[in-house]
């Protein structure tokens, strides 16, 4: 994997996470979403410490520090790290808002990302 591909891939995940972020706020509110992200980062960091470089606030999520840290590590399993993050996030979100609403959020995000491709 070339270095620009690492940054491109992380940017893609950042867009996905911000889509999930904005959709989740409608159901949980910004403060609760921030707490949820903090919890998921804690869980995923047990396997991937790099996820602790993710930043978030009431405006959304930034993965710039992750991209900077991994730009020289093209073999890092980026997809696996973000897949674990998203899976854990949705798992907890489904418990909080119900699986039907969590599924709607994911479908909308997939649809929006599909338009960009």
């Amino acid at each position: 994997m070339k270095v620009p591909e690492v940054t491109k891939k992380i940017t893609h995940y950042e867009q996905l996470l911000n889509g999930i972020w904005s959709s989740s706020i409608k159901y949980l509110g910004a403060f609760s979403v921030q707490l949820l992200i903090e919890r998921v980062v804690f869980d995923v960091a047990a396997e991937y410490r790099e996820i602790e470089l993710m930043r978030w606030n009431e405006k959304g999520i930034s993965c710039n520090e992750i991209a900077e840290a991994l730009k020289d590590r093209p073999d890092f399993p980026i997809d696996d790290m973000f897949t674990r993050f998203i899976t854990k996030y949705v798992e907890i979100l489904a418990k909080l808002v119900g699986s039907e609403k969590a599924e709607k959020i994911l479908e909308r995000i997939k649809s929006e990302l599909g338009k960009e491709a």
Side-chain angles (χ1 to χ4, degrees), residues 69-83:
L70 298 179
K71 70 180 181 184
D72 297 327
R73 297 172 58 192
D75 295 331
F76 185 86
I78 295 167
D79 292 321
D80 191 51
M81 179 178 75
F82 281 107
T83 299

Side-chain angles (χ1 to χ4, degrees), residues 2-114:
K2 296 177 183 174
V3 172
E5 291 179 29
V6 170
T7 302
K8 184 178 177 181
K9 189 175 272 193
I10 291 172
T11 300
H12 173 76
Y13 280 112
E14 182 180 79
Q15 291 172 341
L16 176 63
L17 293 175
N18 276 302
I20 293 172
W21 165 275
S22 61
S23 295
S24 299
I25 284 178
K26 288 192 284 185
Y27 297 105
L28 299 174
F31 183 73
S32 295
V33 172
Q34 290 183 59
L35 290 176
L36 175 56
I37 289 174
E38 185 175 323
R39 172 58 197 226
V40 175
V41 165
F42 177 80
D43 287 349
V44 174
E47 189 170 358
Y48 298 108
R49 304 277 312 167
E50 292 79 1
I51 200 73
E52 292 178 338
L53 297 171
M54 180 186 292
R55 300 291 175 246
W56 63 92
N57 59 29
E58 66 279 350
K59 296 178 182 174
I61 296 171
S62 171
C63 296
N64 291 341
E65 291 185 35
I66 295 173
E68 181 65 25
L70 298 179
K71 70 180 181 184
D72 297 327
R73 297 172 58 192
D75 295 331
F76 185 86
I78 295 167
D79 292 321
D80 191 51
M81 179 178 75
F82 281 107
T83 299
R84 289 179 193 264
F85 182 90
I86 293 167
T87 301
K88 186 69 177 177
Y89 185 93
V90 171
E91 182 182 299
I92 295 172
L93 181 65
K95 289 178 183 173
L96 294 173
V97 300
S99 60
E100 187 175 313
K101 288 180 181 173
E103 189 63 35
K104 283 182 181 178
I105 290 171
L106 281 179
E107 289 302 318
R108 195 166 89 203
I109 299 305
K110 287 178 187 175
S111 174
E112 289 176 13
L113 288 175

